[in-house]
Amino acid sequence: MHNVSSVYSFHYDYMLKWFPMARLIFTDTDSLYYLIEAPDVETKLFEHRDLLDYSDYPVGHKYHDPTNRLKLGKFKCETKGASIIEIVALRPKMYSILMRKDTNPASETVEKQRIKGISRATARDIRHKDYIAQLHDPVENYQINRRIGHKAHQLYSFEVCISSFNLFHLNCALSNALL
């Protein structure tokens, strides 16, 4: 995890110097997502591996390097060397990334989604195409979050209806005691 000043420093002191035309697409808590249209971006970044953590790249990948594994303050590529095809960022903590499994253009695609406030079980049903559809034709979508909770030492199952692709989360129901 990075503090805010180290994220800013990395952006302004390094990334914009190495890639002056880099565009910051969006950010997450301690992540920066860039559009960099330059030849051999990975090679140039790897030259500065003292600032980066390449330990999550697959063993055998030409950029795999365990040197900075688990070292604080080192940035890592969240795609682990996979190339990004498309990003849809609808709002903070709500984005989808479509990427190739490896550098081969014919390789299968993999999706990575983040959707804050929606349980993992519910979020599994939301695909990259749903983010694209929401971007082009915004409609309110509701998801049911189910969880087990307690009140006064009594267990309950809760169902909470949450607006999943809207700027506001709306709680619409709580229900049913467990026996």
Side-chain angles (χ1 to χ4, degrees):
M1 189 135 182
H2 305 282
N3 67 35
V4 174
S5 65
S6 69
V7 173
Y8 286 148
S9 174
F10 183 77
H11 174 69
Y12 289 107
D13 297 340
Y14 298 105
M15 289 302 288
L16 291 182
K17 288 181 182 173
W18 301 336
F19 304 104
M21 300 304 289
R23 289 189 11 213
L24 192 57
I25 301 297
F26 78 101
T27 65
D28 198 4
T29 305
D30 57 358
S31 303
L32 303 170
Y33 292 83
Y34 291 96
L35 172 62
I36 303 173
E37 295 178 304
D40 229 2
V41 171
E42 282 288 340
T43 302
K44 184 151 182 127
L45 285 171
F46 196 69
E47 291 170 5
H48 304 283
R49 64 185 166 274
D50 56 312
L51 298 170
L52 305 166
D53 177 358
Y54 284 93
S55 64
D56 282 347
Y57 276 53
V59 176
H61 191 283
K62 69 180 182 177
Y63 296 119
H64 174 77
D65 182 357
T67 306
N68 289 330
R69 186 174 193 279
L70 301 177
K71 288 189 180 174
L72 292 176
K74 305 300 180 186
F75 288 84
K76 62 173 57 179
C77 178
E78 291 189 27
T79 64
K80 301 174 176 101
S83 51
I84 295 174
I85 300 167
E86 184 173 54
I87 294 176
V88 179
L90 297 176
R91 65 177 181 176
K93 308 280 187 218
M94 184 180 288
Y95 59 86
S96 178
I97 302 172
L98 183 65
M99 55 192 144
R100 298 221 182 277
K101 198 167 190 171
D102 56 40
T103 55
N104 179 354
S107 70
E108 71 179 275
T109 58
V110 178
E111 296 180 14
K112 176 185 176 181
Q113 282 98 12
R114 172 79 193 262
I115 183 164
K116 184 180 180 181
I118 303 296
S119 69
R120 282 187 214 153
T122 303
R124 274 184 244 158
D125 296 334
I126 300 172
R127 311 287 354 134
H128 185 77
K129 65 181 174 56
D130 299 323
Y131 284 79
I132 294 170
Q134 187 61 25
L135 182 66
H136 296 295
D137 186 23
V139 294
E140 285 194 68
N141 294 291
Y142 293 94
Q143 304 293 328
I144 302 293
N145 270 356
R146 292 178 179 86
R147 66 179 186 84
I148 296 174
H150 66 87
K151 186 174 185 177
H153 304 290
Q154 177 68 40
L155 288 178
Y156 294 91
S157 70
F158 295 96
E159 287 187 350
V160 181
C161 181
I162 294 182
S163 175
S164 59
F165 284 121
N166 196 352
L167 294 175
F168 306 102
H169 288 296
L170 175 64
N171 294 338
C172 41
L174 294 174
S175 63
N176 113 40
L178 283 176
L179 301 175

